[in-house]
Amino acid sequence: MYDSMIFDMDGTLVNFVKQITDSWNLSCQKYNWNKVFKVEEIQSVMGLNSHDIGVVLFPDIDEKESQRRIEICSAEEVDYIFTHMGICYIPNEKFLIDLSKKYRLFIVSNCLNGYIEMFLSYFHYEKYFIETVNSSNGRSKGENIRYLVDKYHLKSPVYIGDTIKDALSSKEANVEFIHASYGFGKVDCKLKINKLEDLAKI
């Protein structure tokens, strides 16, 4: 049915929300930003681009400063998560081996540089994904999905994500969507999985 699968990161492949919250709070303490985040606050911005994250998490400061803080927190979280690993929804390496024999695999996330690479390096999963793309190029998630479709001449791709923004990004890219119902969001979608292993049945 599909020739390729493009994955979202947070809520779809991993759940690092507690680790990110802890890391960002350490950064806020380190730089005396007088800010303490709750897990629910960090979870609410998962999947947003850096501008929108800044608006939500640092609403009382100007955009330039909020973006500076987002970049600092994002950079420091990569090192923190590498030593405080959260939940990986990929069950094991064999799952990726089998999946990559049937489909070309990609990742598109709104995270900044280093986050996807840290995750793949930690679990040694780099070789199973043809390309990964993040928001540092300035494109929307939908544009990045479309970029991969066009670059690799994908004929029947599908995007797997957990939020309504993921579904809307798929629609923007004119790509079919599968909802990862175990993630952070609720989506009214005809195609859904309750765990990643369900993809093996498609």
Side-chain angles (χ1 to χ4, degrees), residues 3-19:
D3 67 347
S4 50
M5 290 186 172
I6 308 172
F7 292 89
D8 168 53
M9 262 290 277
D10 291 299
T12 302
L13 294 180
V14 299
N15 183 344
F16 294 161
V17 66
K18 182 184 183 302
Q19 288 71 23

Side-chain angles (χ1 to χ4, degrees), residues 49-72:
N49 59 41
S50 62
H51 172 270
D52 292 342
I53 291 173
V55 170
V56 174
L57 297 185
F58 297 104
D60 301 325
I61 58 178
D62 63 62
E63 182 178 352
K64 184 176 180 180
E65 174 61 16
S66 71
Q67 289 307 294
R68 186 183 77 86
R69 294 186 183 187
I70 294 298
E71 290 178 5
I72 290 171

Side-chain angles (χ1 to χ4, degrees), residues 103-114:
Y103 311 102
R104 304 168 82 183
L105 306 182
F106 305 87
I107 297 174
V108 170
S109 171
N110 274 340
C111 63
L112 295 180
N113 282 328

Side-chain angles (χ1 to χ4, degrees), residues 21 24-25 34 57 59 65 69 75 77 83 88 123 126 137 144 150 158 176 180 182 193:
T21 304
W24 282 47
N25 283 334
N34 193 31
L57 297 185
E65 174 61 16
R69 294 186 183 187
E77 86 180 31
T83 56
C88 176
F123 289 101
E126 304 98 319
N137 56 28
N144 278 327
D150 293 340
V158 64
E176 196 162 352
Y182 52 85
I193 54 173

Side-chain angles (χ1 to χ4, degrees), residues 15-198:
N15 183 344
F16 294 161
V17 66
K18 182 184 183 302
Q19 288 71 23
I20 293 172
T21 304
D22 292 343
S23 174
W24 282 47
N25 283 334
L26 286 172
S27 295
C28 288
Q29 183 179 20
K30 176 180 177 181
Y31 298 106
N32 298 311
W33 289 339
N34 193 31
K35 192 83 175 179
V36 178
F37 297 112
K38 296 180 180 179
V39 168
E40 293 77 14
E41 291 178 277
I42 299 299
Q43 182 171 318
S44 73
V45 301
M46 301 302 273
L48 299 183
N49 59 41
S50 62
H51 172 270
D52 292 342
I53 291 173
V55 170
V56 174
L57 297 185
F58 297 104
D60 301 325
I61 58 178
D62 63 62
E63 182 178 352
K64 184 176 180 180
E65 174 61 16
S66 71
Q67 289 307 294
R68 186 183 77 86
R69 294 186 183 187
I70 294 298
E71 290 178 5
I72 290 171
C73 288
S74 296
E76 294 186 350
E77 86 180 31
V78 169
D79 292 334
Y80 183 87
I81 292 175
F82 196 84
T83 56
H84 300 77
M85 186 56 59
I87 299 169
C88 176
Y89 290 127
I90 299 173
N92 50 54
E93 187 172 16
K94 184 180 184 303
F95 170 80
L96 281 182
I97 292 173
D98 294 341
L99 204 65
S100 62
K101 289 177 180 178
K102 296 176 63 177
Y103 311 102
R104 304 168 82 183
L105 306 182
F106 305 87
I107 297 174
V108 170
S109 171
N110 274 340
C111 63
L112 295 180
N113 282 328
Y115 187 74
I116 301 174
E117 293 81 359
M118 171 275 299
F119 160 68
L120 294 178
S121 173
Y122 184 90
F123 289 101
H124 307 292
Y125 288 161
E126 304 98 319
K127 56 182 172 291
Y128 301 110
F129 293 90
I130 294 172
E131 185 171 348
T132 67
V133 185
N134 62 53
S135 63
S136 63
N137 56 28
R139 293 190 291 253
S140 70
K141 182 175 282 188
E143 290 171 333
N144 278 327
I145 295 171
R146 192 72 235 172
Y147 158 78
L148 290 177
V149 172
D150 293 340
K151 179 178 179 180
Y152 292 96
H153 307 289
L154 306 179
K155 301 302 182 184
S156 53
V158 64
Y159 187 66
I160 300 102
D162 65 306
T163 68
I164 187 64
K165 288 187 177 293
D166 292 331
L168 293 174
S169 296
S170 295
K171 185 176 181 180
E172 177 188 348
N174 196 28
V175 167
E176 196 162 352
F177 178 70
I178 294 176
H179 179 223
S181 64
Y182 52 85
F184 298 137
K186 295 182 179 180
V187 182
D188 184 11
C189 179
K190 65 178 181 178
L191 295 174
K192 71 174 184 177
I193 54 173
N194 297 315
K195 56 185 182 300
L196 271 180
E197 293 94 312
D198 291 344

